[in-house]
Amino acid sequence: MRVRLTPKSSKDAIDGIEATAEGPALKARVRAVPSDGEANAALLKLLSQWLGIAQGSLKLAKGGKSRVKSVEITGNLKEIEARLAERLAVSG
């Protein structure tokens, strides 16, 4: 899953979908600073809470030092897709 991360935000939140040069991405904001992987760790925690899945099911696959990141999710694909669609319908 592609995510565009904004660190140093006023709150931790997922704000729908945003177009990026790499393609559509979830728009995420975290309060953590982009130092020593703090923002990346906060992103994985936010995504796990937002999707209702274990944080161990998420792994930063690409983009550790960029705003646009690829997050790998392990688990039941149909359940994850359904949760993602449901959460986007609620937030969007």
Side-chain angles (χ1 to χ4, degrees):
M1 174 172 58
R2 192 174 299 114
V3 181
R4 184 179 189 290
L5 179 62
T6 302
K8 298 191 293 185
S9 177
S10 61
K11 66 179 182 174
D12 295 341
I14 302 289
D15 294 327
I17 301 279
E18 179 176 290
T20 69
E22 293 85 357
L26 273 182
K27 185 177 177 182
R29 298 184 291 148
V30 296
R31 290 181 296 236
V33 296
S35 171
D36 298 325
E38 290 178 37
N40 291 336
L43 170 64
L44 295 179
K45 182 178 179 182
L46 173 64
L47 285 173
S48 76
Q49 292 170 346
W50 190 73
L51 288 169
I53 60 176
Q55 196 168 337
S57 299
L58 300 168
K59 178 177 121 181
L60 188 63
K62 212 166 113 177
K65 295 192 183 239
S66 86
R67 285 188 181 261
V68 178
K69 303 170 183 306
S70 291
V71 176
E72 184 179 305
I73 305 172
T74 55
N76 183 311
L77 181 62
K78 289 187 184 218
E79 279 183 28
I80 293 167
E81 285 177 342
R83 285 184 185 158
L84 186 58
E86 179 184 318
R87 296 298 299 171
L88 286 171
V90 169
S91 69

